[in-house]
Amino acid sequence: MFVRWDSLRVDAEAERRLPGYREPAVVRTFDAPEALDVRFYEVHAKSALKQVPKASRMPFQWTINPYRGCTHACTYCTSGDTPILTADGRTKPLADLRVGDGIYGTVRSGRYRRYAITTVRAHCSTVKQAYRTSLDDGTALITSGDHRFLSDRGWKYVTGAQSGPMQRPHLTPSDDLVGTARFPAAPEATEEYRRGYLCGLIRGDAHLGSRDYAPPDRAVHQLHRFRLALVDMDALWRARRYLRDFDVATDEFVFQKAAEGRRAMGAIRTQAQDRVARIKEIVAWPRQSSDGWRKGFLAGIYDAEGGYNGGILRVHNTDEEIIDWTTWCLRRLDFDVAVEDRRLPNGLRTVRIRGGVPEHLRFFLLVDPAITRKRSIAGTAIKTDVTRRVVSVEPLGMEMLLYDLTTGTGDFVSNGVISHNCFARPTHTYLDMDAGRDFEREIVVKVNLPEVLRAELRRPSWKREHVALGTNTDPYQWVESRYRLMPEVWEALRDSGTPCSVLTKSPLLLRDIGLFKELAARGGFTANLSIPTLDEKAWRATEPHTPHPRKRLEAVAELNRAGVPTGVLVAPLMPGINDAPEQVEPILEACSAAGATHIGGVALHLRGEVRGIFFDWLRAHRPDLVPRYEQLYSRGAYAPPNERERLARMVRRDSPAEAVSGRLTPAGTIDRDPAPAPDTRASSREPDSSGPLRRPSPRREGLIQESLF
């Protein structure tokens, strides 16, 4: 037997017999940061080629699976009162979060780690020894010793040791934690705050006034009018509620219906003289202003005339008095501002808040604008020069009730500091391993798979039938970057002249692009990347811990430029969840731009245990779809043929000239003519989304993902 991490090898800890394997597995650990607390079960596989059951309805008969399990786990606990940054740009105590809540995490994109919206997948409590991590800005973070924070030198545990069993990267005084400034408390909706908010919003974006009106042959009379029309209903409803608090009733109506190229607008209004007069009194400039009024005014003027694009926060206006009040209020709250005058004929000036994401996030939390979309930091880069120094790490000498959380991105933002977490999946139960943590920390590696495969391919009985990889577990998951089993697998298939294909979610396959060229020339080879959605929130809700979909598109383009036929599998397509034309069409356009040689769609499969899990999720989160799914899957794991065909047509163009036609490839996709593959660089802006998909239990979602198609 050989080991592929010789430079990192340590002595075997033990041997353990796994069900289905004749010889005991050698259990190893490695002195690598990525493999801390992970055990690798190196087994001798009896066979490499696995025949696909006919009941699976796959267009190929053979597959290869080098790994079992996925190395993405950790555990942590944090104090329940720790404020967590939520998807609406506000905060919520950790103890109050619930499964399905949207929060902020981070993803790596290009050179930077960026903020991204993710979903809480599990939330529970435990009692552990507590530690206080004190930072130089006065923040005290109460966690267990196993919690990890992102520092300017990578992820670090709260506690650890330089040697021995607790040896691991851990925090020490002078370490710098990456993130934002400490989260300020949200303002209270006092009378002063409400007055300030209405002043900023109404002065910035409403019609308010009285005038004389003299119709022909009638006496002169006064017209009084207040009208506020907005696209964003969050601000409109807040304004109506605040006016009601001041005994000003308004009528709500549709100001503008949605049409092509424009969004619907709602509005509130009143024409009563006493109400208009009362509004004028409410929005009058104060002789003396409190912090509450200033925060309210800034929230209102930002909702009316502010914007946050490209990491720049601005407030625009042509009224010099409004610009002066905006600048003065910001400076009183210790913001660094710049006033930009573009010398435009209309006198438009801009107030800009400097200081990057930390100051912008402080503004959103401190003044609390109503419009959620205007306070999104998704897609903005996390700069390592914005840090908070660790002053001390101290044991509290007591056990405390702490909270566990798992998210789609594997991390979250707690009181301005980026904190790490992961989730586990229950696919190890057949190995007599725990269905949670073991899936991610107990990894089965078939170390002799290339040798066994070569022997099987040399058999006279081997007919060189198509072999598909990636049909069960992704062969290019993270652990492959260490064990490097795949190059020898591809070499064996190449030397035998066996046609093959791969389905993966990882651009790591670009490492083996040279072998793919040889395979394509020898026996035939096709690569396929799974991209079920380009929707940022849907991606994070349905495919946690996977590379960004646009990174996968870049891989599609690069492979096709190199002459390796590469396509895209839009799967799984789930009726009523991600099968709307406006969801699928952007994927098709992006695939065409990347030069995808084939595009396919696969309907949701509900095999075995997955069926019950999926229906539990539907009943909890999408009860409206339960009758439809009960009918669609009444006869088994597969949707009826007409539904499968409908979903397959989703990947085809509507017009006959653009129709995708051809034969079904071994990867289950549809051939189309190759197209030039332009450079598809990932955009720094996140795609729009109608909202996150809610997910099943995190302890079971992995099984669902691996059994969908």
Side-chain angles (χ1 to χ4, degrees), residues 11 28 95 152 245 320 331 346 356 361 583 608 630:
D11 292 337
R28 298 187 183 275
D152 58 346
D245 291 341
E320 184 175 348
R331 287 175 174 158
N346 63 356
L361 187 58
Q583 293 172 298
E630 287 177 341

Side-chain angles (χ1 to χ4, degrees), residues 15 62 108 179 211 348 421 431 498 630 696:
E15 290 187 345
W62 300 93
R108 184 167 292 282
R211 65 181 180 89
L348 181 70
N421 78 100
L431 294 174
T498 298
E630 287 177 341

Side-chain angles (χ1 to χ4, degrees), residues 119-133:
T119 305
V120 175
R121 303 189 179 285
H123 183 272
C124 59
S125 61
T126 186
V127 176
K128 286 190 176 183
Q129 288 289 332
Y131 293 80
R132 178 193 294 114
T133 301

Side-chain angles (χ1 to χ4, degrees), residues 1-5 8-16 18 24-44 66-73 428 431 433 437-447 477-485:
M1 186 182 80
F2 58 90
V3 180
R4 295 166 184 273
W5 282 7
L8 300 175
R9 176 178 175 174
V10 299
D11 292 337
E13 295 179 342
E15 290 187 345
R16 176 175 172 180
L18 299 180
V26 177
V27 184
R28 298 187 183 275
T29 58
F30 298 92
D31 295 327
E34 300 91 339
L36 289 171
D37 198 29
V38 181
R39 288 186 292 186
F40 295 85
Y41 292 78
E42 296 179 350
V43 300
H44 276 200
Y67 304 105
R68 290 292 184 187
C70 185
T71 50
H72 289 294
H428 267 23
L431 294 174
M433 291 183 180
R437 182 178 181 276
D438 286 353
F439 179 82
E440 299 169 337
R441 314 308 279 176
E442 316 287 334
I443 309 302
V444 177
V445 184
K446 302 173 185 178
V447 293
Q477 60 176 284
W478 173 83
V479 68
E480 167 59 20
S481 67
R482 298 298 186 267
Y483 271 92
R484 300 180 65 88
L485 292 174

Side-chain angles (χ1 to χ4, degrees), residues 196-197 199-200 285 293-301 322 325-326 329:
Y197 182 81
C199 179
W285 296 118
W293 186 92
R294 288 190 285 268
K295 292 174 182 178
F297 172 76
L298 290 172
I301 194 61
I322 290 178
W325 273 98
T326 302
C329 289

Side-chain angles (χ1 to χ4, degrees), residues 126 132 217 230-231 269 330 457 468 475 530 627 644:
T126 186
R132 178 193 294 114
D217 303 324
L230 297 170
V231 169
R269 65 186 172 191
L330 286 168
L457 295 174
S530 172
R644 296 201 304 270

Side-chain angles (χ1 to χ4, degrees), residues 71 95 102 121 164 242 253 283 305 347 385 402 440 459 578 657 660:
T71 50
R121 303 189 179 285
Y242 284 2
F253 66 100
V283 304
E305 300 290 348
D385 57 349
L402 303 173
E440 299 169 337
R459 294 173 182 170
N578 72 333
V660 177

Side-chain angles (χ1 to χ4, degrees), residues 455-476:
E456 291 178 344
L457 295 174
R458 284 196 296 266
R459 294 173 182 170
S461 60
W462 176 243
K463 304 300 183 183
R464 293 180 175 80
E465 297 176 80
H466 188 97
V467 177
L469 284 89
T471 62
N472 188 17
T473 56
D474 195 329
Y476 282 100

